[in-house]
Amino acid sequence: MLLKHKEFEKLLNFQFSEKMKQVIDSLNIEVQPLSDDDLQQKVQHIETILNTPNIVVAGSHRLNDWNNGWNENNIEFAKSGNIDSLIPRYFGKYKTVRFDGKFYNVLSKDCEINMLRVLQYFILEKYCNNFDNFYEFGCGTGHNLFAISEFKKDKKFFGFDWSNPPREIFENIQKFYDRNFVFDNFDFENPNQNINIENNSVIFTFAALEQIGYRHGKFIQFLLEKRPSLCIHLEPISEVLDDNEKLQNLSIHYINKRNYLSNFYSSLQKLEKDNKIDIIDVARTTIGSYFIEGYSLIVWRVK
């Protein structure tokens, strides 16, 4: 089963441009529905993992792990200049993805990262036609910003991360590809107030706030003060999932078990009630990976 632009248009209730349809169709996203037995085995495996007492949880104690992981990408990219070397190695680790809320076995290379790319293309075409500056907080290797820059080559791109290897990666992106990429360190839990967000800017997080659990208050306050034109997040958002549906229930439990993002949407709802922000869109995209439906969408702006 090849997932082409038509399948994604139906899923997202959105019509892509002709150019983007061609890009999506070139990605070769091929999946296969699971048999009942295979589905049951995978559900049992996830339940076993969820009952593991020593599962690794997110938090600042893992900074060295991220430094080490991004440095592996950094070393490879510095040698080759191949942008694919910036893809984090956790993509494609399990040969199962979520699409339309169901499990599918992966039949094509880079299926998981390509599904994320389609979501990013959707975001670009629906929300980001007129911005001059693109900011990603928790940018990691910069692979998301680079994918976006392919369609906005004359714009400015700013990446922020708490780890150090991305600084050299961004320098090499500029060297190899002549893109306007700028990097600085940033900690969601202790935002650098000296960082400025330029006029006519959009900010993104892509499964980055995931790592800070309930400790998102200072970052939200940072955005309220810096006033970007638009804020867009693709993150695991438990509040939009249905605890009574099995695969969504497993995702919620995995989010909780790993200490992933919690109460973020609820915090934004309170700010909207207090007339401080406008929430423009909230959507469960139904796309995700083996353990987690990790790409729910929230779009908002400061009043």
Side-chain angles (χ1 to χ4, degrees):
M1 172 181 174
L2 278 172
L3 299 179
K4 300 279 191 175
H5 73 269
K6 288 184 179 179
E7 284 75 26
F8 286 100
E9 286 183 331
K10 181 180 178 181
L11 186 76
L12 299 169
N13 191 27
F14 179 77
Q15 187 168 352
F16 289 100
S17 67
E18 291 302 316
K19 177 182 177 181
M20 197 62 82
K21 288 177 183 178
Q22 294 176 16
V23 172
I24 293 169
D25 289 349
S26 72
L27 294 177
N28 187 31
I29 303 173
E30 188 173 6
V31 297
Q32 181 182 57
L34 272 64
S35 68
D36 290 342
D37 286 346
D38 196 9
L39 174 61
Q40 186 59 35
Q41 289 176 10
K42 291 185 188 302
V43 166
Q44 289 175 351
H45 176 246
I46 294 173
E47 289 175 335
T48 299
I49 297 297
L50 287 171
N51 289 321
T52 301
N54 60 345
I55 193 169
V56 176
V57 299
S60 58
H61 62 283
R62 295 200 62 212
L63 177 55
N64 284 339
D65 294 336
W66 292 107
N67 272 321
N68 291 335
W70 298 154
N71 196 47
E72 290 179 6
N73 294 97
N74 176 33
I75 292 170
E76 186 176 345
F77 181 62
K79 291 177 181 177
S80 67
N82 183 347
I83 205 68
D84 290 342
S85 64
L86 294 183
I87 303 302
R89 294 190 166 116
Y90 49 74
F91 280 104
K93 183 176 179 181
Y94 296 93
K95 303 305 179 184
T96 304
V97 293
R98 298 174 187 235
F99 179 83
D100 197 16
K102 305 177 183 66
F103 272 169
Y104 288 85
N105 284 326
V106 170
L107 298 182
S108 58
K109 185 177 181 294
D110 298 326
C111 181
E112 186 179 342
I113 187 66
N114 284 337
M115 290 172 73
L116 171 59
R117 292 289 178 254
V118 176
L119 290 178
Q120 290 167 341
Y121 301 157
F122 161 70
I123 286 170
L124 272 183
E125 293 212 324
K126 185 170 183 179
Y127 304 103
C128 301
N129 287 319
N130 299 309
F131 294 114
D132 295 318
N133 307 290
F134 295 78
Y135 290 71
E136 185 186 3
F137 289 87
C139 67
T141 65
H143 70 98
N144 294 312
L145 273 186
F146 187 88
I148 291 168
S149 77
E150 289 283 78
F151 302 92
K152 306 281 183 179
K153 292 180 181 178
D154 60 334
K155 305 302 182 181
K156 295 171 70 176
F157 297 88
F158 301 83
F160 301 92
D161 202 86
W162 64 341
S163 65
N164 294 317
R167 187 177 301 280
E168 186 174 341
I169 290 173
F170 272 53
E171 291 172 357
N172 282 324
I173 287 175
Q174 291 190 97
K175 181 178 72 174
F176 289 128
Y177 293 93
D178 192 28
R179 302 286 165 87
N180 195 342
F181 268 53
V182 177
F183 175 81
D184 206 348
N185 288 113
F186 186 87
D187 185 346
F188 284 122
E189 298 181 43
N190 294 287
N192 180 357
Q193 298 298 329
N194 293 322
I195 290 173
N196 292 316
I197 293 181
E198 297 189 12
N199 293 333
N200 201 29
S201 296
V202 57
I203 77 100
F204 305 109
T205 69
F206 297 116
L209 289 176
E210 169 187 283
Q211 295 294 315
I212 64 172
Y214 63 88
R215 302 174 300 279
H216 44 69
K218 290 184 179 180
F219 180 57
I220 292 175
Q221 185 59 38
F222 170 84
L223 295 176
L224 291 175
E225 293 172 3
K226 300 299 179 178
R227 303 183 64 84
S229 302
L230 196 65
C231 303
I232 301 177
H233 311 279
L234 271 180
E235 299 283 353
I237 307 293
S238 294
E239 294 102 311
V240 304
L241 299 180
D242 182 0
D243 195 35
N244 294 312
E245 194 278 323
K246 185 62 176 178
L247 294 188
Q248 294 179 67
N249 172 276
L250 291 173
S251 184
I252 292 169
H253 281 268
Y254 190 77
I255 290 169
N256 293 337
K257 187 79 172 183
R258 295 291 306 272
N259 280 347
Y260 282 171
L261 187 63
S262 63
N263 295 318
F264 180 68
Y265 178 38
S266 302
S267 297
L268 294 180
Q269 286 178 304
K270 184 178 186 305
L271 287 171
E272 185 177 51
K273 186 177 180 181
D274 293 340
N275 204 34
K276 293 182 179 180
I277 70 169
D278 285 321
I279 298 176
I280 296 165
D281 246 336
V282 177
R284 174 186 167 228
T285 69
T286 72
I287 288 174
S289 54
Y290 180 49
F291 285 107
I292 186 172
E293 191 175 298
Y295 298 127
S296 292
L297 176 70
I298 298 181
V299 183
W300 62 282
R301 63 182 168 218
V302 182
K303 280 193 170 183

